[in-house]
Amino acid sequence: MADSIMSKAATMEIPINSNGDTGTLTEDDSLEQDLQQVMVSGPNLNETSIVSGGYGGPAGGIIPTSSIKGPSHHSAHSPPEDASRGVAVEKLDTVKKWGINTYKCTKQMFSERFGRGSRTIDLELEAQIDLLRDTKSKYELILRLATALTTHFQNMVQTQQALGDTFTDLSQKSPELQDEFGYNAETQKLLCKNGESLLGAINFFVSSVDTLVNKTMEDTLMTIRHYENARLEFDAYRSDLEELSLGPRDAAAVARIETAQQEYQIHRDKYERLRSDVTIKLKFLEENKVKVMHKQLLLFHNAISAYFAGNQQQLEQTLIQFNVKLKPPGSDKPSWLEEQ
């Protein structure tokens, strides 16, 4: 008996028109299928209930699954069952509202995509958002190239270190070439020391750019994504209100218009609030980006120039000027305990 009821409930169709009311659906079959799919994959409920009628049916048509346990001697209207029924009705109402909202947004998205619906556009803000996405893409390229440079340069420094050690060993074992091996060993060790200083500057540059791109910019883009979702919802409820306003003005229609007006105002307030948040974050992001990159680009230039000019003193002064702390030798290697 319970299996047949569950099968019946799982195959029910819930027609919803463009205004969110039950009735005949006049939209494309594809949109109806999308809505049904969304409703099937909707939010999970802690307590599942079986609905014998449509969403507009009476509360008596809701059968809590927790009560399907075989014969019982308790009354059908006992307080525990009434409480369970109330919770089930509340959760079904939540799912219904979620489904209607998803349907409206999906319909609006399809209408915009196929050129049949209008959308709210803030030209100035949209231009700033596009600029941010383009800037982030270019900064990500800088980050990848700087990281690759660090890897390659670190390999060169390690090679110079090994070469210097080899020259030192040979200078002690080859008396006839002791001087030649000796000054080559000193040269490689000096290059290795300066290379480690340059690596410290480049790593500091990479770390700062990574924070700017993957934390500061990404935080602003997350707010932008919330804003774009709010814009879609706002346009969906705006279109719904405009459609209702063009229809008949009987008592039922007026009630639906008043409800739609309230929903429209709620989503408009949300849209305006998030648009203001995006504007403020874009402003602060631009100021922070200029401040950070001004310092980091100057560091990068001075360190690279000093290293390849062979100016060890200027390289060290650059690290002091920008407060770059070098890691002590061997700090990147795992401890003996970590190797166990």
Side-chain angles (χ1 to χ4, degrees):
M1 178 67 178
D3 292 338
S4 64
I5 295 176
M6 292 293 289
S7 176
K8 178 179 178 182
T11 57
M12 289 179 55
E13 296 183 358
I14 307 174
I16 301 177
N17 61 23
S18 61
N19 297 328
D21 301 320
T22 56
T24 303
L25 182 62
T26 60
E27 299 298 324
D28 298 337
D29 294 338
S30 61
L31 293 179
E32 180 181 1
Q33 294 173 0
D34 290 335
L35 173 61
Q36 293 172 356
Q37 181 64 28
V38 168
M39 294 299 291
V40 169
S41 60
N44 294 328
L45 299 178
N46 295 330
E47 297 182 10
T48 307
S49 300
I50 303 172
V51 184
S52 60
Y55 276 116
I62 302 176
I63 308 174
T65 55
S66 58
S67 64
I68 306 178
K69 299 180 180 178
S72 175
H73 299 288
H74 296 285
S75 172
H77 298 286
S78 60
E81 291 187 0
D82 291 342
S84 177
R85 179 175 302 169
V87 172
V89 171
E90 181 180 353
K91 291 186 176 181
L92 283 174
D93 185 60
T94 300
V95 173
K96 177 181 177 181
K97 291 179 180 179
W98 174 85
I100 292 173
N101 182 76
T102 302
Y103 168 72
K104 290 180 185 294
C105 293
T106 304
K107 176 185 174 183
Q108 177 67 24
M109 182 176 63
F110 286 165
S111 297
E112 293 177 5
R113 181 170 300 178
F114 294 110
R116 295 182 298 180
S118 61
R119 55 169 295 182
T120 302
I121 300 178
D122 187 325
L123 294 178
E124 182 179 358
L125 187 58
E126 292 291 336
Q128 293 178 8
I129 292 173
D130 291 340
L131 179 61
L132 171 59
R133 289 191 169 117
D134 182 64
T135 301
K136 184 173 184 291
S137 176
K138 293 177 179 178
Y139 275 49
E140 287 173 339
L141 177 60
I142 291 176
L143 187 59
R144 288 195 299 271
L145 293 175
T147 302
L149 176 62
T150 302
T151 302
H152 297 324
F153 197 77
Q154 185 172 16
N155 291 335
M156 188 183 75
V157 170
Q158 292 174 350
T159 302
Q160 289 173 333
Q161 178 68 49
L163 188 58
D165 293 340
T166 303
F167 283 153
T168 300
D169 183 61
L170 286 173
S171 69
Q172 298 173 356
K173 297 179 180 179
S174 305
E176 67 281 1
L177 296 173
Q178 183 176 7
D179 293 339
E180 288 80 358
F181 278 127
Y183 59 66
N184 274 283
E186 292 299 326
T187 300
Q188 292 302 317
K189 290 180 179 179
L190 178 61
L191 290 174
C192 181
K193 179 181 178 182
N194 292 341
E196 289 175 349
S197 298
L198 180 59
L199 274 174
I202 297 177
N203 283 328
F204 188 75
F205 173 85
V206 169
S207 176
S208 299
V209 175
D210 180 72
T211 300
L212 177 64
V213 172
N214 294 318
K215 291 185 179 180
T216 310
M217 288 186 178
E218 186 59 33
D219 176 71
T220 302
L221 287 172
M222 180 63 70
T223 305
I224 289 174
R225 285 189 282 271
H226 291 324
Y227 157 75
E228 290 173 340
N229 290 337
R231 196 280 308 163
L232 181 64
E233 289 182 345
F234 166 66
D235 280 337
Y237 283 89
R238 174 183 57 79
S239 299
D240 185 56
L241 179 60
E242 292 173 353
E243 183 179 343
L244 285 172
S245 299
L246 297 175
R249 291 303 183 98
D250 54 18
V254 170
R256 286 196 298 268
I257 291 175
E258 291 179 354
T259 301
Q261 180 68 41
Q262 295 174 359
E263 294 289 341
Y264 163 80
Q265 189 62 44
I266 291 174
H267 288 88
R268 179 181 178 179
D269 293 341
K270 179 181 178 182
Y271 165 74
E272 294 288 350
R273 183 180 69 255
L274 284 171
R275 182 173 66 173
S276 177
D277 291 345
V278 169
T279 302
I280 293 173
K281 283 200 172 187
L282 285 172
K283 178 182 177 181
F284 284 115
L285 173 62
E286 182 64 22
E287 295 175 354
N288 186 46
K289 181 193 71 175
V290 172
K291 180 179 178 181
V292 169
M293 292 308 297
H294 173 76
K295 175 181 178 180
Q296 295 305 317
L297 291 173
L298 189 60
L299 164 67
F300 191 83
H301 172 269
N302 291 351
I304 291 286
S305 300
Y307 174 82
F308 284 100
N311 193 333
Q312 180 181 2
Q313 183 178 1
Q314 182 182 349
L315 180 58
E316 293 176 352
Q317 288 296 324
T318 299
L319 299 183
I320 296 173
Q321 177 186 355
F322 293 94
N323 197 28
V324 178
K325 304 295 184 181
L326 296 180
K327 295 181 179 180
S331 61
D332 293 333
K333 298 180 180 179
S335 65
W336 65 272
L337 185 60
E338 294 173 332
E339 292 177 345
Q340 300 304 315

